[in-house]
Amino acid sequence: MLIETIGSIESTINLNFKKNMQPSAGTTAGKLTGKVAVITGGTEGIGFAAAQLFVKEGAFVFITGRRQKELDEAVKVIGSNVHGVQGDVANLADLDRLFDTVGKVKGRIDVLFANAGVAEFSPLAKVTEAHFDKLFNINVRGALFSVQKGLPLLNDGGSIILTGSVAGSKGTPAFGVYGATKAAIRCFVRGWTMELKDRRIRSNVLSPGPTDTPAIDQQPPDAIARIVSTIPMGRMGKPEEIAKAALFLASDDSSFVTGIELFVDGGRAQI
């Protein structure tokens, strides 16, 4: 009788344990549940796709954009757990205002995705000071000071992601200055990986190949055809595909990944 009673108690305990271990209906945890993310350049393309995905995966996301109208529209589409801050990453006062807002609203950052950037073509013979300064101010200066100014709020064990490009590794006609800015991004991450290791902060570069974004849409059809011809998979990437790789680098799935350049490029940089 005693043995039967003990067996009944054990069965009840095991059943209750299994019930407690199962998630409640409608409460599936996301990969970024409870985390705070900052995404610069989050109003369109890769940044916007990443913001949507991060929110879906449980994060509260701050996004930036230079134009208030587009910023408001992006926030409206994302819908919840998002806060827009207008600003230009090349303007240090705007960055101060961004991180002051983050500090007041949430008080911390878990994921800092320095994504804002600009791409422009110019053959060597026609490179101007304005072209050079614009690309380096936004792509390099903007990324550097976005991370520097966000660092005091970044939690130990947090994740820094910089948007690079296959252009930093592959020679592309008329893309020399742009490629140089993305090569600089790669060098930043090598240094930061060592500099921030005691805080367990991971720094990585996410380098897309040609991606179907508004910037690409502005190119003439023959230029797009030439671009696609260089991609082994025979097509351009989608912002949502790049966003999934950003989610990997942002989440604990990449807890032993730091200092790398992750190419999401249809094989473009590998041949």
Side-chain angles (χ1 to χ4, degrees):
M1 186 71 171
L2 178 60
I3 293 175
E4 292 177 355
T5 301
I6 293 174
S8 177
I9 292 172
E10 288 179 343
S11 296
T12 301
I13 291 173
N14 288 336
L15 180 61
N16 288 335
F17 177 77
K18 290 178 180 178
K19 287 182 178 178
N20 290 333
M21 290 299 289
Q22 294 175 351
S24 302
T27 59
T28 55
K31 292 180 181 293
L32 298 180
T33 295
K35 294 187 181 294
V36 177
V38 173
I39 302 176
T40 63
T43 60
E44 63 180 23
I46 294 168
F48 178 67
Q52 286 185 302
L53 183 58
F54 283 17
V55 168
K56 181 180 179 181
E57 291 290 337
F60 186 97
V61 178
F62 293 85
I63 62 172
T64 72
R66 287 179 290 172
R67 295 175 293 275
Q68 189 67 53
K69 180 182 178 181
E70 284 82 349
L71 182 65
D72 292 341
E73 290 174 352
V75 168
K76 183 177 179 180
V77 172
I78 295 170
S80 63
N81 293 323
V82 61
H83 189 109
V85 182
Q86 187 275 330
D88 182 347
V89 295
N91 185 320
L92 299 193
D94 285 356
L95 288 176
D96 286 335
R97 182 162 47 81
L98 165 64
F99 291 110
D100 182 62
T101 300
V102 174
K104 289 177 179 178
V105 175
K106 285 295 182 180
R108 75 177 202 279
I109 300 170
D110 299 292
V111 180
L112 178 50
F113 186 7
N115 166 73
V118 62
E120 288 184 351
F121 293 93
S122 181
L124 174 59
K126 295 184 178 180
V127 170
T128 64
E129 285 186 85
H131 172 75
F132 181 93
D133 290 345
K134 179 180 180 180
L135 267 61
F136 268 85
N137 280 341
I138 295 175
N139 295 356
V140 181
R141 171 189 167 104
L144 170 64
F145 288 106
S146 291
V147 173
Q148 183 198 73
K149 290 180 177 295
L151 198 58
L153 291 171
L154 190 61
N155 276 337
D156 289 357
S159 174
I160 296 169
I161 307 167
L162 302 187
T163 297
S165 170
V166 293
S169 300
K170 299 287 288 187
T172 305
F175 241 34
V177 175
Y178 175 74
T181 67
K182 296 306 183 178
I185 291 297
R186 180 69 181 99
C187 288
F188 282 161
V189 159
R190 287 191 176 101
W192 297 344
T193 294
M194 298 302 296
E195 190 172 345
L196 301 175
K197 64 180 182 179
D198 291 341
R199 291 185 56 190
R200 296 176 290 102
I201 293 173
R202 299 180 296 107
S203 301
N204 295 290
V205 180
L206 175 62
S207 286
T211 306
D212 189 7
T213 64
I216 286 289
D217 291 341
Q218 296 171 10
Q219 303 303 319
D222 60 332
I224 293 177
R226 286 196 300 272
I227 291 171
V228 171
S229 71
T230 68
I231 306 169
M233 290 188 70
R235 66 173 178 86
M236 287 191 289
K238 300 175 182 178
E240 294 77 14
E241 292 176 305
I242 314 304
K244 290 176 182 178
L247 174 63
F248 167 71
L249 293 176
S251 74
D252 292 338
D253 286 349
S254 60
S255 58
F256 198 52
V257 178
T258 190
I260 72 162
E261 182 170 13
L262 176 58
F263 290 99
V264 189
D265 64 352
R268 173 73 178 93
Q270 315 310 317
I271 58 172

